[in-house]
């Protein structure tokens, strides 16, 4: 029913709303008329769409009309692109989560770079803009996605500082999926050795750093899904390393040169692990260290979160690490994996629920233990 404290708009307010809607409809109709007439060479389209988008910035057709007009006019008037960035910023301040506005900004930035060649100035300006919007809403995934687009626009993007940027946001909010996802994107980039922190004199250092971030977040909030999802992605790299080891052993060849930096990190000793004689033994030793840490988080989560019955993510992380360890040939991990599978059967009797949590691969490994 209607809440008792809900106040219905007055007739005067309704009248103002109707007038605003009528104005918007008239503006859109006028814009569409010129759009269908292919009028892309006059500033009329920019003026009318600006008025309409000020009332409703989510009309993607009007943004498309502006792009066609800018394409036609900006060659003779380069200042139009700079003005357009300011206009988009104003629209985003009204609603910072409009897909069409962020997409339009990508177009304008690309065109501005192509027309002026001033990459550094545009980069500094755009990263400052995303800093501002993320300070207002640190989980604005539209803004995070746009920031990743900047990486593609600028080959010499300062990756080290961007990793630090994502780390700061993660430390501010361990539940920030967008920041964790941004970090995974950065780590997955295959960049030249000169700019990639994953291809360095100490290739294991980034893996240690990522694991420390996971353990820190999981210790503070063990039931939080975000850091464990990041952990599962790190384990994907471990599985890729294992696949490479298996292939090289079967074909009696060296490890493939195209092994990704993330996977290669697993084949160097972690800070707490000794150097081993072979890549397989090194991977096993690293995984054993990871399993030990995950066990500690599971124990902590049982103490802290048992009453709320939300301890599944630490066990999912532990089970996933154990599953990879079993694949390396350490069959003794199978018993612990079976115990976790039994635990899930009791607390989550519906297999579909566990399947959604674990993903097909890990759930299959649990059942096969």
């Amino acid at each position: 029913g209607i809440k008792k404290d809900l106040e219905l708009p007055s007739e005067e307010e309704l009248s103002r709303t109707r007038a605003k809607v009528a104005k918007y409809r008239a503006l859109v109709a006028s814009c569409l008329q010129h759009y269908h007439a292919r009028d892309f060479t006059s500033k009329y389209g920019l003026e009318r769409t600006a008025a309409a988008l000020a009332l409703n910035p989510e009309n993607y057709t009007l943004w498309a009309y502006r792009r066609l007009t800018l394409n036609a006019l900006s060659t003779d008037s380069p200042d139009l692109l700079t003005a357009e960035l300011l206009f988009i910023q104003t629209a985003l301040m009204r609603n910072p989560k409009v897909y069409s506005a962020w997409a339009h900004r990508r177009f304008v930035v690309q065109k501005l770079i192509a027309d002026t060649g001033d990459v550094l100035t545009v980069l500094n300006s755009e990263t400052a803009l995303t800093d501002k919007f993320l300070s207002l809403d640190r989980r604005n995934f539209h803004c995070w996605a746009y920031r990743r687009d900047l990486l593609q626009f600028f080959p010499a993007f300062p990756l080290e500082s961007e990793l630090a940027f994502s780390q700061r946001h993660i430390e501010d909010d361990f539940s920030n999926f967008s920041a964790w996802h941004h970090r995974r994107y950065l780590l997955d980039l295959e960049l030249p050795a000169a700019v990639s922190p994953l291809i360095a004199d100490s290739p294991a250092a980034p893996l240690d750093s990522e694991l420390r971030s996971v353990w820190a977040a999981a210790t503070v909030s063990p039931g939080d899904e975000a850091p464990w999802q990041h952990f599962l992605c790190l384990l994907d790299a471990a599985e890729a390393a294992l696949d490479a080891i298996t292939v090289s052993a079967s074909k009696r060849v060296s490890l493939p040169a195209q092994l990704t930096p993330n996977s290669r990190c697993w084949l160097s000793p972690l800070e707490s692990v000794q150097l081993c004689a072979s890549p397989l033994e090194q991977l096993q030793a690293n995984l054993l260290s990871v399993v030990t840490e995950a066990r500690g988080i599971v124990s902590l989560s049982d103490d802290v979160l048992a009453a709320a019955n939300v301890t599944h993510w630490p066990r999912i992380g532990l089970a996933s690490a154990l599953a990879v360890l079993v694949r390396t040939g350490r069959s003794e991990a199978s018993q612990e994996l079976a115990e976790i599978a039994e635990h899930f059967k009791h607390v989550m009797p519906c297999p579909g629920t566990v399947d959604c949590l674990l993903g097909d691969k890990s759930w299959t490994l649990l059942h096969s233990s």
Side-chain angles (χ1 to χ4, degrees):
I2 300 177
K3 293 182 179 180
K4 293 181 180 179
D5 58 349
L6 179 64
E7 293 185 7
L8 296 176
S10 65
E11 191 60 38
E12 182 180 353
E13 290 172 326
L14 286 173
S15 178
R16 285 199 299 268
T17 300
R18 293 190 189 101
K20 185 177 179 180
V21 170
K23 178 183 178 182
Y24 173 72
R25 286 178 173 174
L27 285 169
V28 171
S30 175
C31 290
L32 291 178
Q33 182 180 2
H34 284 262
Y35 176 85
H36 291 303
R38 315 298 291 175
D39 178 13
F40 305 134
T41 57
S42 71
K43 291 188 178 181
Y44 175 87
L46 294 179
E47 294 168 355
R48 303 299 280 179
T49 54
L53 289 168
L55 297 172
N56 175 24
E58 298 190 54
N59 191 322
Y60 57 85
T61 302
L62 299 186
W63 289 111
Y65 185 14
R66 291 185 75 82
R67 282 194 288 279
L68 292 169
T69 305
L70 286 169
N71 259 334
L73 295 179
S74 60
T75 303
D76 299 324
S77 305
D79 290 343
L80 276 177
L81 296 176
T82 303
E84 188 69 4
L85 289 177
L86 292 174
F87 172 73
I88 301 167
Q89 183 175 341
T90 301
L92 288 172
M93 290 301 292
R94 294 194 189 95
N95 187 342
K97 295 184 178 180
V98 178
Y99 283 99
S100 304
W102 286 108
H104 187 65
R105 192 170 190 90
R106 281 191 285 273
F107 159 79
V108 174
V109 165
Q110 284 180 292
K111 186 163 180 58
L112 186 62
I113 293 170
D115 290 355
T116 66
D118 193 355
V119 176
L120 187 58
T121 300
V122 177
L123 169 62
N124 290 336
S125 174
E126 293 306 293
T127 52
L129 178 89
T130 59
D131 288 348
K132 179 177 181 179
F133 277 100
L134 290 176
S135 70
L136 298 172
D137 179 3
R138 57 194 176 195
R139 298 193 189 194
N140 184 342
F141 68 90
H142 305 271
C143 186
W144 282 105
Y146 178 69
R147 195 168 175 108
R148 285 190 292 280
D149 288 332
L150 296 178
L151 286 170
Q152 300 173 14
F153 299 159
F154 307 102
F157 198 97
L159 184 59
E160 297 260 8
S161 64
E162 192 65 11
L163 284 166
F165 177 82
S166 66
Q167 185 64 29
R168 288 195 299 273
H169 278 271
I170 288 170
E171 291 172 356
D172 287 340
D173 180 6
F174 288 134
S175 300
N176 191 337
F177 267 97
S178 294
W180 285 104
H181 177 70
H182 189 71
R183 191 167 187 82
R184 284 196 292 275
Y185 175 85
L186 296 172
L187 294 173
D188 285 339
L189 288 176
E190 295 187 20
L191 299 174
V195 294
S196 175
L198 296 184
I199 309 175
D201 293 336
S202 302
L207 180 57
D208 276 304
S209 175
E210 294 311 302
L211 288 171
R212 279 196 298 270
S213 293
V214 171
W215 304 143
T219 300
V220 173
S221 182
D224 199 323
E225 178 182 348
W228 290 110
Q229 287 285 5
H230 190 67
F231 177 64
L232 296 184
C233 289
L234 297 177
L235 288 179
D236 285 342
E239 288 206 86
L242 176 58
D243 291 338
I245 292 171
T246 303
V247 170
S248 66
S250 65
K251 295 184 177 181
R252 297 183 180 182
V253 295
S254 59
L255 286 171
Q258 67 268 27
L259 190 63
T260 65
N262 286 351
S263 295
R264 198 173 292 278
C265 285
W266 281 96
L267 305 183
S268 297
L270 295 172
E271 290 176 345
S272 59
V273 177
Q274 292 183 341
L275 179 65
C276 297
S278 71
L280 180 60
E281 290 174 337
Q282 193 66 68
L283 178 58
Q284 290 172 334
N286 287 340
L287 285 168
L288 283 168
S289 174
V290 166
V291 164
T292 299
E293 292 283 355
R295 283 197 196 106
I297 303 297
V298 168
S299 177
L300 173 68
S301 69
D302 284 346
D303 293 338
V304 175
L305 299 175
N309 194 28
V310 289
T311 61
H312 49 266
W313 274 109
R315 278 190 169 81
I316 289 170
L318 176 57
S320 299
L322 286 167
V324 181
L325 189 58
V326 170
R327 282 197 59 206
T328 68
R330 298 297 293 259
S331 58
E332 68 273 18
S334 298
Q335 178 59 39
E336 188 174 359
L337 197 56
E339 292 172 1
I340 295 176
E342 192 64 27
H343 167 83
F344 278 121
K345 289 176 184 176
H346 286 294
V347 300
M348 295 181 184
C350 175
T353 303
V354 183
D355 186 44
C356 289
L357 292 170
L358 292 177
D360 295 337
K361 183 187 298 183
S362 296
W363 182 231
T364 301
L365 288 167
L366 270 177
H367 273 301
S368 64
S369 61

PDB file of all heavy atoms in Angstrom, residues 50 94 328:
ATOM      1  N   ALA A  50      21.708  19.094 -27.149  1.00  0.00           N
ATOM      2  CA  ALA A  50      22.205  19.520 -25.839  1.00  0.00           C
ATOM      3  C   ALA A  50      21.042  19.881 -24.915  1.00  0.00           C
ATOM      4  O   ALA A  50      21.028  19.518 -23.733  1.00  0.00           O
ATOM      5  CB  ALA A  50      23.145  20.710 -25.991  1.00  0.00           C
ATOM      6  N   ARG A  94      25.143  14.957 -13.592  1.00  0.00           N
ATOM      7  CA  ARG A  94      23.723  14.766 -13.279  1.00  0.00           C
ATOM      8  C   ARG A  94      23.417  13.293 -13.051  1.00  0.00           C
ATOM      9  O   ARG A  94      22.643  12.937 -12.164  1.00  0.00           O
ATOM     10  CB  ARG A  94      22.846  15.290 -14.422  1.00  0.00           C
ATOM     11  CG  ARG A  94      22.904  16.787 -14.629  1.00  0.00           C
ATOM     12  CD  ARG A  94      21.759  17.231 -15.539  1.00  0.00           C
ATOM     13  NE  ARG A  94      21.909  18.623 -15.940  1.00  0.00           N
ATOM     14  CZ  ARG A  94      22.470  19.014 -17.070  1.00  0.00           C
ATOM     15  NH1 ARG A  94      22.926  18.108 -17.924  1.00  0.00           N
ATOM     16  NH2 ARG A  94      22.573  20.286 -17.366  1.00  0.00           N
ATOM     17  N   THR A 328      48.151 -31.616  -9.546  1.00  0.00           N
ATOM     18  CA  THR A 328      49.610 -31.678  -9.704  1.00  0.00           C
ATOM     19  C   THR A 328      50.173 -33.036  -9.301  1.00  0.00           C
ATOM     20  O   THR A 328      51.365 -33.283  -9.469  1.00  0.00           O
ATOM     21  CB  THR A 328      50.308 -30.597  -8.852  1.00  0.00           C
ATOM     22  OG1 THR A 328      50.142 -30.900  -7.457  1.00  0.00           O
ATOM     23  CG2 THR A 328      49.764 -29.219  -9.164  1.00  0.00           C
TER      24      THR A 328
END
